[in-house]
Amino acid sequence: MGFSPLFALMEKYYLFPFQASENSGWILLVILVERALQLVKCVDVIEAYIERINQVNPLVNAVVKDRFEAALQEAHQVDQLLSEGHDDEESLQEKFPFLGVPITIKEAFELHGLPNTSGLVNRLNVIATSDAAVVSRVKQAGTIPLGVTNCSELCMWYESSNRVYGRTNNPYDLDYIVGGSSGGEGCILAAAGSVIGVGSDIGGSIRMPAFFNGIFGHKPSSGVVPNDGQFPNARGIRTKFLCSGPMCRYAEDLEPLLRVMAGANVTKLKLGEKVFLENLKFYSMEHDGGSIFVSPVDKEILQAHRNVIKRLEADLGIQVQHVNIHKMKYSFEIWSTMMSSKDSDGQEAQAFTDLLGDHGKPVWPSWELLKWMMGMSSHTLPAIGLGLTEKLLKLTPKENSKLKSMAQSLQTEMENLLGNDGILLYPSHPIVAPKHHTPLGMPFNFAYTAIFNILGLPVTQCPLGLNKEGLPLGIQVVAGFHNDHLTLAMARYLEKAFGGWVRPGTS
């Protein structure tokens, strides 16, 4: 793992960017050496991260409810366990691979005793009485949850803002978005307020925040990590598209966290197999082929993409093949059609307006829009807009059939291309993090991530440094079904090659 108690203190005293003085480097180095000569306790680590959250959260609004007092109590229990010395280090590692490690959880997941609103005002008084499946697993692995993080209303928009908690701001520039729906999670990780995090993804909700915040985010192969205990949860055919997965600053933390989250299903992912990158086949697509619904790919994103290809070819002595997968041009249409399709039992996907009315009266989107214009609605404009367009987006049976067939054909094409030894390099998003509210003018850009939810493939978003304005760049790494070990190996390679996470405030 990329974590140790000493490393946490290094971040606290040496890496944090928001406050610094001309002579602080030497002073902090002395403090660091002094601390290194002492036994660092779990309580020290938790206190360091609590202090960090208290420093940055007034600026970014990422952690929407904390459990600091309980976290400190749990840290004391860890220290007591270690002091008793009943187990050796190897035994503890096996029982508790994340013993004492601070973690944050997307608020859409149940974390016992904390809110579970998903940004919906009607659910303001909903407090989780149990833990979501993945939350239970990471807690059993020894992690110490610090709190829950912000998301978009009902997790269906790519700016994390809602009427319950307000808006989350990008730690690289507060005027920019953090993405959604796991935006608060991506933000607090990027701001070094947590070590690892839990997110969910049905259209890019792990990968877009990871991209906009310059961290690593992994969408596992479909059906491996359980989604139980989050709101809203998937129903019908959407159960195939929703994925829960790990988010973190350091690539080496992805695999052990994924192992814990997947439980017994982890055997499907071949994580124990050694990966030799030079033996893989590499493919590249710089854009989706020119969809009329999405923005052109930014020049700096294209250049970062090409830099990856150059580095791969130079380091590994391989040739990256440029491909043009024509159906990717219809990613948004395919995702929309499949999301609203019936499953094999004929069950329809739950209507978004029904979700909006959870724990309250039925919602009429037209009425809510009028209320919003008068400043009286308890819903965000993107949520109202989705409610309004939900029925309009439903196509004729003939068009639906055509797009479903296209989805199946694209799945076959991808499986044949990637096999068990292929990697596809693809943009994480056509543009870098936009300013607040501007996604309303480009609502379908999430198609770059969403298509892989339909295909069920494993995808890792990897940071590639910052652009000229100091905003994160990145790339998606895609592999064949159940070949998550390949994308995770690529994440580790790209981190070494391009530096991985860059702390906010770095020029």
Side-chain angles (χ1 to χ4, degrees), residues 384-398:
I384 296 169
L386 180 56
L388 285 168
T389 59
E390 188 172 34
K391 293 182 179 180
L392 297 177
L393 289 174
K394 290 188 177 181
L395 304 174
T396 65
K398 183 178 180 180

Side-chain angles (χ1 to χ4, degrees), residues 54 81 108 114 158 193 265 295 315 366 373 408 461 479:
N54 286 333
L81 174 67
L114 268 63
Y158 72 96
N265 281 339
S295 304
D315 287 354
S366 299
M373 293 172 68
Q408 294 173 351
Q461 136 61 33

Side-chain angles (χ1 to χ4, degrees), residues 89 149 193 202 230 270 272 308 336 357 366 382 384 432 438 446 451 467 490 497:
E89 187 174 339
T149 54
I202 200 169
Q230 58 180 295
K270 314 174 193 175
V308 169
S336 298
S366 299
I384 296 169
V432 296
T438 54
F446 71 93
I451 189 61
N467 73 352
M490 269 297 293

Side-chain angles (χ1 to χ4, degrees), residues 164-211:
V164 178
Y165 303 117
R167 185 182 76 192
T168 302
N169 303 314
N170 196 300
Y172 292 88
D173 190 322
L174 303 180
D175 291 332
Y176 291 79
I177 75 169
V178 294
S181 57
S182 310
E185 197 56 49
C187 172
I188 200 61
L189 288 164
S194 180
V195 178
I196 51 178
V198 172
S200 58
D201 187 318
I202 200 169
S205 289
I206 286 174
R207 289 160 290 151
M208 280 186 292
F211 171 65

Side-chain angles (χ1 to χ4, degrees), residues 98 103 105 133-145 198 257 260-261:
F98 286 91
I103 190 171
I105 311 289
V134 291
V135 173
S136 177
R137 288 178 179 180
V138 297
K139 287 172 72 173
Q140 289 173 16
T143 65
I144 298 179
V198 172
L257 186 53
V260 169
M261 294 175 75

Side-chain angles (χ1 to χ4, degrees), residues 235 237-238 293 332-342 346-354 385-401 403-404 444:
R235 240 175 49 179
I237 196 168
R238 293 180 185 175
F293 292 105
F332 169 68
E333 296 95 316
I334 291 172
W335 182 85
S336 298
T337 297
M338 296 304 295
M339 281 284 287
S340 60
S341 297
K342 296 179 181 179
Q347 182 181 10
E348 290 189 350
Q350 188 172 13
F352 185 70
T353 49
D354 292 341
L386 180 56
L388 285 168
T389 59
E390 188 172 34
K391 293 182 179 180
L392 297 177
L393 289 174
K394 290 188 177 181
L395 304 174
T396 65
K398 183 178 180 180
E399 291 170 320
N400 270 326
S401 178
L403 285 165
K404 287 179 185 177
F444 308 126

Side-chain angles (χ1 to χ4, degrees), residues 454-466:
I454 301 303
L455 300 176
L457 302 178
V459 190
T460 307
Q461 136 61 33
C462 304
L464 296 174
L466 308 179

